[in-house]
Amino acid sequence: GRNYADHAAELGNAVPTKPLLFMKPSSCYITAGQNIEIPLGCTDMHHEIELGAIISKDCKRITENEAMNFVGGYCLALDMTARDFQNEAKGKGNPWTFAKMFDTSLPVSEFIPKDKIPDPGNVALWCKVNDELRQNGHTKDMIFSLPYLIAHISQYFTLQEGD
């Protein structure tokens, strides 16, 4: 909801001036054929298709111009959010841990080689559920570019191979 200005507005959020980050532990990741487990007590589950960048080698405090040298490939990721948990946490000024980091909250595709997506800033992303279009977007509409995001994150966290 904070990668695209239109979606931020749709959710009643201000368009951020710097990236809003959250973590996904390894227990979040699942692949094709595995089931998404709705967290206990969740009554409002949302999803967003995302382009995931897979880091090829460790990087720390890199520049935006260097960032794509650290991308080994991509995946499609379905970012699941327990929206009712998130709204409660936001209302209390608390972190979104239970809304974003629950088991199975990040189904991912197979690895997509870097050369298959020559320009990650120009990728159409869409999501259908039971043949119904639920999301239709484009990475060119992102608030922050992929190189900017990788460089920004690397100022605070060491990104490691496979992240």
Side-chain angles (χ1 to χ4, degrees), residues 2 13 82-96 99:
R2 304 288 172 94
N13 297 318
R83 190 72 75 205
D84 48 346
F85 292 7
Q86 183 184 39
N87 289 338
E88 181 182 349
K90 282 170 50 177
K92 294 177 179 178
N94 291 333
W96 305 352

Side-chain angles (χ1 to χ4, degrees), residues 1-5 7-9 13-21 143-144:
R2 304 288 172 94
N3 288 327
Y4 298 90
H7 192 69
N13 297 318
V15 175
T17 57
K18 61 182 180 179
L20 175 67
L21 305 175
I143 298 165
F144 306 103

Side-chain angles (χ1 to χ4, degrees), residues 104-126:
T104 74
S105 64
L106 194 66
V108 296
S109 74
E110 295 293 320
F111 178 81
I112 302 168
K114 186 176 180 178
D115 64 348
K116 297 291 184 191
I117 301 179
D119 181 2
N122 189 24
V123 177
L125 297 171
W126 52 269

Side-chain angles (χ1 to χ4, degrees), residues 5 13 41 52 59 61-62 74-75 104 108 122 127 137 145 150 153 160:
N13 297 318
C59 62
R61 296 195 177 115
I62 62 168
Y74 304 95
C75 68
T104 74
V108 296
N122 189 24
C127 178
S145 70
I150 292 170
I153 293 165
Q160 297 180 316

